[in-house]
Amino acid sequence: MAAIHLSNPVTDLYGVGPSAEEKLAKLDIYTIYDLIAFIPWRYDDWSNVGSIGSFDMAERFDDNTGYDLSFRGTITTNPSVNITSRKKPLSFFVSDGTGRIKLTFFNSPYLSGKFSLGDECFIHGQVTLFNGQMQMVNPYIEKAEKITDDALVRPVYHLTSGLTSNNISKWVSTAIKLCGDELLSCIPHSIAEQKGFVSPKEAYLMAHFPASLEDARRAREQLAYEELILLGIGMKLYSSGHGIKEVAEQVIPSGPNAISRDLAARWNQIKSNLGFALTGDQTAAFRDVQTDLMSTTPMNRLIQGDVGSGKTMVAALSMLITALMGKQAVLLAPTSVLATQHYKTISGLMRNSGMEPVLLLGKTKASEKAEIKEKIATGEARVIIGTHALLTDDIRFKDLALVIADEQHRFGVKQREKLLFKDEGSDGTIKSVHNLVMTATPIPRTLAMVIYGDMATSVIREKPKGRQEITTWFVNSKKSKAIEEMMSVKLAAGEQVYIVCAKIDKDETEAGSDYLVGEPVGGDESVTSVFDMKKQVDSMSNLSQYKSAVLYGSMKEKDKLETMERFISGDIKILISTTVIEVGVDNPNANVMIIMDADRFGLSTLHQLRGRIGRGDKKSFCLLVSESRSELALSRMKMMCESSDGFELAEKDLELRGPGDFYGTRQHGIPTLRAANLYTDMKIATEATEAVNKIIEAGGQEAERLNEAIKKMFELRFARKMEQL
Ligand code: ADP
Ligand code: MG
């Protein structure tokens, strides 16, 4: 057999077949390294072994709560099932000399073959009272000799259905045995020594198979160091040219009389095309950009603002001022739908300014493309809007000075690097462009530091005036009349409706969506798909008269755009879609959004989706439809009903479930972190990355070692995944 390495697929491990492969992929685990890095998210501590008799029933059983108990005991009644009715639960008694307890197992007939009368066992479970008798339902049971005292801290993994923590433990154990020695440490010796860190192999063993909770904690700490160094430094090493002085063009001249009367007049024309006054936050953000554009140090700025806060306007004005100054500006959008919309907005703003924008998409006809490219090359086109089609090598700019990326995290890492349009000058400097990034996703400081480096931030918190608040209701049944009524009232008034579904059809979810598995109560079959919904709408007496259409990611680009356009023009009244409409679609006449199976979406997605409505002057309603009774899902719905502020939601979400949803790394184009917590580990991130930076700058043996280790591990752990995101 060929040697197995960290980069090998998980299927190279004995026992991991195609079905397991699929389930592991859902957990973002593809390689052996991914599996090893998948450390438990918590541990059950069974090390406190007790006895049945020490359990004071009178004191404990005043309510229906169960109590955890671990103990060793002997099976005292025959654990065999009735062959004729294997569906019946299996029950038998266990005694430990201080008392006896009844164990009941549902759906576990295989147990009767495994255990026999007289066996010594280790048992862990919840004790409850049934007809005055102590019992445990479906406890963990194992032959006593197999359970040593140092295996009593049990790892619990975040799992997808069909996998158990035991499966993972077994595979991880093999994986570490086979390739644990390939794991390189990315932590400086000085820190490792001071903290008493072990080798990465030992740390992973400790995290997966801890002898105590204290060991597990220590392992997690060490691995958090590894992870944050890997991400923070790895990112930089991975994108080239770091540390060399970069210069960009000074776009806006400084000093008095630098701007001619003619230019000032054209600028005023553009501002009057706006049709509204900028909000205070928009003005401040635009001023930040203008200041940056007066310098030859490349701008590296992030505009962070909730959906609908008016970021696009700031971006548009930044492009237009650049164009007025005779230089070129590019706006990149992650989808053609969004790019087309930006193009329309900006065309409107440029009316009578003597300039015209160009739009370049992947599907633009070849002849037209050639024409646009020519215009870009000659400098005739100065306001350039498009998708990543603009990042191909055959596009030559005359005088590119500003690049703006909308929702930049939706671009892959390689594409992002291209976004910087770096060019090596003959004098050893690097010619760069001014960079502006817009995002509606709040970014934790740690993550911002890690992925955007020293990026400056402008925050737009204020909403444009005259916005109607969106009223959000929770609807706890799909059959509720409220849904149909809400739609028919608004449709009758000439308004339009979005319906969002968690699935495209029975089996398919939207690629890249944060569809939640495992947590909601209803099975996957109960989820209403886009196609189910289309059928339902077309058969409802109140709704069938209105034209409806479906929209989802895997449709042909042309069909998607056409559907969007027909919805925006008012031809289609009801748009039934997946989360593809999450970003950017702007139809001020659509004032109702029905989100089916709302429990299947994370808070950030729900909030982004809801941002599609409330864009006009009519009252808007968002109906969150969910039949889930999960407490977590219900509290999420409650938050959505109570708040429409994305920043506030993000904070609440963090309280509710810790980093991972709003603050998930995925939304920023980074694979899931396993050990580090982007909130609580800020100190580790700063301390560790600073130390490593210093060492690498100073050079020498340790610098070389770290450089090599970080590059190699980053490649294994993050780089390939970032390409896929
Ligand atoms: P974002 O990109 O932050 O989601 P947009 O820039 O697309 O937000 O703005 C959302 C909507 O609000 C657009 O229809 C836009 O024309 C409008 N808008 C933006 N700024 C203002 C403002 N200052 N006053 C009134 N409407 C505005
Ligand atoms: Mg936008």
Side-chain angles (χ1 to χ4, degrees):
M1 197 173 80
I4 290 184
H5 300 286
L6 288 170
S7 59
N8 282 40
V10 271
T11 44
D12 283 2
L13 288 175
Y14 179 76
V16 182
S19 138
E21 181 185 21
E22 207 174 288
K23 286 166 194 148
L24 288 169
K26 281 195 183 159
L27 299 169
D28 215 16
I29 297 171
Y30 301 92
T31 64
I32 292 184
Y33 186 34
D34 292 341
L35 185 66
I36 294 175
F38 185 67
I39 63 171
W41 71 289
R42 65 177 182 85
Y43 301 86
D44 277 337
D45 185 9
W46 297 356
S47 60
N48 212 346
V49 178
S51 59
I52 304 173
S54 68
F55 234 68
D56 187 342
M57 301 193 0
E59 188 183 294
R60 299 206 187 220
F61 294 116
D62 47 2
D63 55 27
N64 283 326
T65 340
Y67 297 91
D68 278 356
L69 174 67
S70 310
F71 69 99
R72 290 171 198 277
T74 313
I75 298 180
T76 54
T77 60
N78 201 359
S80 67
V81 254
N82 185 343
I83 307 290
T84 52
S85 70
R86 290 174 63 90
K87 289 245 167 69
K88 271 206 175 150
L90 166 69
S91 281
F92 53 89
F93 280 89
V94 176
S95 158
D96 71 349
T98 68
R100 68 173 205 159
I101 203 162
K102 186 180 177 185
L103 308 186
T104 302
F105 297 87
F106 292 93
N107 306 318
S108 322
Y110 61 92
L111 282 177
S112 79
K114 193 171 162 192
F115 296 98
S116 2
L117 188 66
D119 278 351
E120 287 282 335
C121 294
F122 174 91
I123 292 136
H124 176 91
Q126 283 209 327
V127 188
T128 49
L129 208 57
F130 184 71
N131 288 340
Q133 224 176 28
M134 283 167 84
Q135 73 156 8
M136 281 181 170
V137 175
N138 284 348
Y140 171 88
I141 178 165
E142 186 51 273
K143 299 258 175 72
E145 73 261 19
K146 289 200 179 167
I147 301 292
T148 51
D149 283 343
D150 60 2
L152 289 176
V153 176
R154 315 285 299 186
V156 182
Y157 296 92
H158 263 308
L159 291 172
T160 178
S161 64
L163 286 178
T164 64
S165 287
N166 266 339
N167 293 143
I168 301 281
S169 288
K170 226 170 32 203
W171 296 330
V172 166
S173 165
T174 319
I176 296 181
K177 251 184 227 132
L178 288 171
C179 342
D181 293 325
E182 275 180 46
L183 294 160
L184 303 177
S185 171
C186 304
I187 302 175
H189 279 318
S190 53
I191 294 184
E193 213 159 87
Q194 178 209 338
K195 295 265 174 194
F197 286 160
V198 293
S199 73
K201 178 180 175 179
E202 284 169 274
Y204 276 116
L205 279 170
M206 253 163 73
H208 288 287
F209 312 100
S212 65
L213 286 178
E214 174 57 16
D215 270 8
R217 190 199 60 72
R218 280 176 42 214
R220 195 207 72 87
E221 187 190 8
Q222 175 173 343
L223 295 174
Y225 270 88
E226 290 273 4
E227 198 162 49
L228 289 167
I229 291 174
L230 210 53
L231 192 58
I233 310 288
M235 228 27 194
K236 286 188 200 162
L237 295 179
Y238 193 68
S239 51
S240 51
H242 196 81
I244 301 170
K245 184 166 167 53
E246 296 178 4
V247 289
E249 291 197 61
Q250 182 188 28
V251 174
I252 303 176
S254 44
N257 305 323
I259 293 176
S260 73
R261 269 175 171 231
D262 169 51
L263 280 184
R266 287 165 74 191
W267 182 241
N268 284 334
Q269 172 68 46
I270 288 170
K271 282 205 288 193
S272 72
N273 287 345
L274 255 185
F276 46 71
L278 293 183
T279 63
D281 282 349
Q282 279 174 316
T283 308
F286 184 49
R287 199 179 306 127
D288 290 342
V289 173
Q290 283 174 290
T291 309
D292 290 347
L293 292 178
M294 287 180 192
S295 161
T296 55
T297 303
M299 165 165 71
N300 184 23
R301 179 169 296 280
L302 174 74
I303 297 189
Q304 198 174 315
D306 213 347
V307 267
S309 61
K311 297 181 296 295
T312 307
M313 283 305 153
V314 177
L317 290 174
S318 309
M319 292 182 85
L320 297 185
I321 202 153
T322 304
L324 271 185
M325 295 299 160
K327 309 225 174 350
Q328 289 176 307
V330 159
L331 172 58
L332 280 154
T335 65
S336 51
V337 171
L338 203 49
T340 309
Q341 227 165 69
H342 287 327
Y343 174 73
K344 283 189 184 150
T345 309
I346 292 173
S347 298
L349 272 179
M350 290 173 80
R351 259 181 291 124
N352 305 323
S353 71
M355 302 181 294
E356 262 179 42
V358 293
L359 175 68
L360 192 93
L361 307 173
K363 54 140 202 161
T364 306
K365 268 201 285 280
S367 57
E368 210 179 314
K369 245 186 204 164
E371 208 175 296
I372 293 171
K373 283 181 191 169
E374 179 63 20
K375 279 189 188 171
I376 296 175
T378 61
E380 187 190 336
R382 290 195 296 234
V383 176
I384 302 149
I385 300 154
T387 56
H388 52 264
L390 280 169
L391 299 176
T392 53
D393 291 329
D394 65 337
I395 297 204
R396 296 269 166 268
F397 293 91
K398 171 94 186 310
D399 199 359
L400 181 62
L402 171 67
V403 173
I404 305 180
D406 193 8
E407 302 295 340
Q408 185 207 32
H409 55 272
R410 295 194 169 227
F411 295 94
V413 160
K414 279 286 173 210
Q415 287 175 340
R416 268 189 232 177
E417 211 181 305
K418 281 199 168 166
L419 282 175
L420 302 175
F421 289 92
K422 284 187 190 161
D423 213 356
E424 206 162 329
S426 46
D427 55 354
T429 58
I430 290 198
K431 236 178 93 48
S432 186
V433 293
H434 294 287
N435 258 281
L436 185 62
V437 174
M438 299 189 281
T439 182
T441 315
I443 300 179
R445 232 159 34 99
T446 320
L447 190 56
M449 181 182 94
V450 163
I451 60 181
Y452 294 118
D454 324 315
M455 189 165 257
T457 309
S458 305
V459 179
I460 304 184
R461 267 181 182 267
E462 201 179 341
K463 285 259 161 78
K465 283 199 195 60
R467 274 299 154 74
Q468 292 266 0
E469 273 290 301
I470 302 169
T471 300
T472 303
W473 284 330
F474 172 54
V475 178
N476 66 9
S477 160
K478 290 184 184 177
K479 297 201 185 73
S480 165
K481 276 277 163 212
I483 304 171
E484 196 176 339
E485 270 164 32
M486 172 60 74
M487 288 202 270
S488 57
V489 166
K490 291 296 239 179
L491 287 162
E495 297 172 36
Q496 291 162 279
V497 172
Y498 290 102
I499 304 179
V500 181
C501 299
K503 289 196 149 194
I504 301 170
D505 59 23
K506 193 164 64 54
D507 307 310
E508 203 181 346
T509 58
E510 189 64 78
S513 76
D514 67 343
Y515 185 81
L516 304 173
V517 268
E519 172 196 302
V521 251
D524 254 20
E525 321 78 57
S526 68
V527 171
T528 307
S529 72
V530 166
F531 286 104
D532 293 338
M533 200 67 219
K534 169 88 171 120
K535 261 191 230 144
Q536 281 181 37
V537 165
D538 289 345
S539 68
M540 283 184 196
S541 54
N542 284 336
L543 302 179
S544 56
Q545 55 181 303
Y546 300 104
K547 204 176 278 178
S548 65
V550 298
L551 183 76
Y552 49 89
S554 52
M555 267 163 68
K556 278 210 202 88
E557 201 61 25
K558 183 173 127 299
D559 297 342
K560 261 192 280 187
L561 273 176
E562 192 193 304
T563 305
M564 276 315 312
E565 270 158 24
R566 285 176 56 205
F567 182 62
I568 290 168
S569 73
D571 175 30
I572 292 168
K573 300 295 180 194
I574 305 172
L575 187 65
I576 304 165
S577 81
T578 58
T579 49
V580 282
I581 54 142
E582 181 186 336
V583 172
V585 178
D586 197 358
N587 179 359
N589 191 47
N591 301 310
V592 174
M593 176 173 284
I594 316 280
I595 305 181
M596 302 301 290
D597 300 291
D599 53 282
R600 297 282 161 160
F601 301 106
L603 259 186
S604 86
T605 301
L606 289 174
H607 179 66
Q608 292 267 358
L609 286 169
R610 186 172 59 179
R612 300 299 111 221
I613 57 171
R615 298 189 151 235
D617 47 11
K618 302 252 174 49
K619 179 81 199 146
S620 291
F621 294 91
C622 176
L623 269 53
L624 304 172
V625 185
S626 164
E627 298 185 339
S628 167
R629 298 294 167 262
S630 135
E631 216 171 283
L632 190 59
L634 291 175
S635 49
R636 247 190 272 134
M637 302 301 128
K638 187 161 174 278
M639 281 189 221
M640 285 294 294
C641 295
E642 285 171 357
S643 174
S644 56
D645 177 341
F647 288 82
E648 189 185 324
L649 282 170
E651 273 157 29
K652 289 217 175 133
D653 193 33
L654 186 66
E655 276 166 35
L656 189 73
R657 54 189 267 159
D661 184 2
F662 235 112
Y663 284 112
T665 47
R666 236 165 199 292
Q667 300 179 59
H668 300 285
I670 304 264
T672 320
L673 296 185
R674 302 302 192 191
N677 175 321
L678 287 170
Y679 267 80
T680 48
D681 291 335
M682 181 67 194
K683 225 183 104 209
I684 295 184
T686 328
E687 177 192 315
T689 47
E690 271 171 14
V692 176
N693 272 330
K694 243 190 222 154
I695 294 168
I696 291 184
E697 261 163 45
Q701 239 178 25
E702 172 76 338
E704 251 166 59
R705 178 188 76 83
L706 284 172
N707 237 320
E708 201 159 303
I710 294 171
K711 264 194 191 146
K712 189 154 176 218
M713 290 290 135
F714 181 83
E715 181 77 40
L716 274 170
R717 178 77 186 282
F718 293 114
R720 269 183 298 178
K721 284 199 183 148
M722 287 183 185
E723 297 302 323
Q724 294 163 6
L725 283 174

